[in-house]
Amino acid sequence: MADPRTRRVRFWSSAVIVGAVVLAVLVVPPLAQLDEQAVDLSLKLLPPSWEHPFGTDDVGRDLLLRSVYGLRISLLVGLVAALVATVIGTAVGAAAGALGGWPDRVVMRIVDAFSSVPHLLLGIFIVAMFRPGVWPVIVSVALTHWLSTARIVRSEVLSLRSRPYIDAAISGGASRWRVTARHLLPAVLPQAGLAAVLMVPHAMWHESALSFLGLGLPSHQASLGNLVQSARSSLLAGDWWPTLFPGLFLIVPTLAVAGLAGVWRDRLNPRRRSELML
């Protein structure tokens, strides 16, 4: 287990970064009153300066503003996809654990079958059926990331079923679904919530990978994956800032979210941390 002082430093540093990210995506676009799509070829590929702290891209757009807009889109995709995936995984895992027997075995074999296919490959297959946009990416990420949550919830439900108060409820005449709704689901919500938080960085990276491959958001729409993808030619020409800053906007917030989730995981159940890793 981590030292309490180290855990405290990790928590506050992660909390400050997450707070700054939320403040930036909520406040900067309305206050800036600038069009992040505005093209000015006279400002093409300017290095970082006081006027443009992150420099400009290959068509003269301000990279700081573009990175904030891209982070907002990537964060939206990550949050919504993580929420949908958690709901699906919690429902499937709770049903499998509560029913037990052959329904549990059938459901878990289906989960194993989906798990055998790489997430990115399955995500590419899903987004290829739709036009590029935010919602196809959210659907793709959500449908490929509920499996770990289902396993976590099922494991917790199976553990709870052996508790004396569950036996007492069943002996008192409570139906299987009433026991699940009144006792099992509330007990697994902390683990499901933690799984959702841990899934947000994963979903953001997944969206960025799809956009980088040209299968996610439209190329004109700012997302962190699109920004990194469009900066490849500039990087080969020696202009490093169009790649570096969007990459940092992806790496630093996801590490901060993961740091907060790690502290939550340690506090929730320090003896079973490995089970809650996605």
Side-chain angles (χ1 to χ4, degrees):
M1 180 183 291
D3 179 73
R5 182 176 299 178
T6 302
R7 190 188 305 122
R8 191 159 50 246
V9 171
R10 182 176 63 175
F11 170 78
W12 284 112
S13 59
S14 299
V16 168
I17 293 173
V18 171
V21 166
V22 172
L23 190 65
V25 299
L26 292 178
V27 173
V28 170
L31 290 182
Q33 295 295 320
L34 296 173
D35 183 7
E36 51 94 16
Q37 297 284 3
V39 173
D40 187 349
L41 294 178
S42 65
L43 302 177
K44 176 181 177 180
L45 289 174
L46 293 179
S49 63
W50 285 110
E51 187 177 359
H52 301 284
F54 287 5
T56 60
D57 64 8
D58 56 351
V59 292
R61 295 173 295 193
D62 184 79
L63 272 175
L64 174 57
L65 191 60
R66 293 273 291 170
S67 296
V68 171
Y69 272 92
L71 178 59
R72 184 168 66 168
I73 294 295
S74 297
L75 192 59
L76 171 67
V77 172
L79 289 172
V80 177
L83 178 62
V84 175
T86 301
V87 171
I88 296 173
T90 301
V92 172
L99 292 173
W102 68 265
D104 179 33
R105 292 192 293 271
V106 169
V107 170
M108 296 316 295
R109 294 298 76 77
I110 294 174
V111 170
D112 292 340
F114 274 100
S115 299
S116 65
V117 181
H119 284 178
L120 186 58
L121 182 61
L122 186 57
I124 290 173
F125 175 77
I126 294 172
V127 297
M129 297 187 295
F130 303 93
R131 291 182 178 180
V134 173
W135 289 108
V137 175
I138 290 176
V139 171
S140 168
V141 176
L143 292 182
T144 55
H145 286 72
W146 59 271
L147 306 171
S148 298
T149 304
R151 286 198 177 98
I152 292 169
V153 171
R154 171 185 176 270
S155 175
E156 191 66 21
V157 168
L158 290 177
S159 174
L160 290 170
R161 284 177 56 186
S162 61
R163 303 289 175 87
Y165 71 93
I166 299 296
D167 292 335
I170 295 175
S171 300
S175 67
R176 192 187 300 262
W177 293 109
R178 181 174 176 82
V179 169
T180 302
R182 285 289 300 271
H183 301 290
L184 298 181
L185 277 179
V188 301
L189 285 181
Q191 286 80 2
L194 176 56
V197 174
L198 286 167
M199 202 181 301
V200 171
H202 196 176
M204 291 176 64
W205 280 92
H206 200 86
E207 177 277 323
S208 298
L210 290 173
S211 296
F212 182 82
L213 294 173
L215 298 169
L217 276 66
S219 58
H220 68 274
Q221 190 168 7
S223 79
L224 297 178
N226 279 341
L227 293 180
V228 174
Q229 195 276 340
S230 63
R232 289 185 302 169
S233 59
S234 302
L235 182 63
L236 293 175
D239 300 318
W240 47 269
W241 56 92
T243 304
L244 174 64
F245 292 114
L248 289 177
F249 263 57
L250 177 62
I251 294 171
V252 174
T254 54
L255 288 178
V257 173
L260 286 179
V263 174
W264 183 4
R265 183 185 62 216
D266 292 345
R267 287 179 175 273
L268 183 65
N269 202 339
R271 294 185 178 182
R272 297 176 60 189
R273 289 176 295 176
S274 60
E275 294 182 13
L276 299 173
M277 292 293 289
L278 292 179

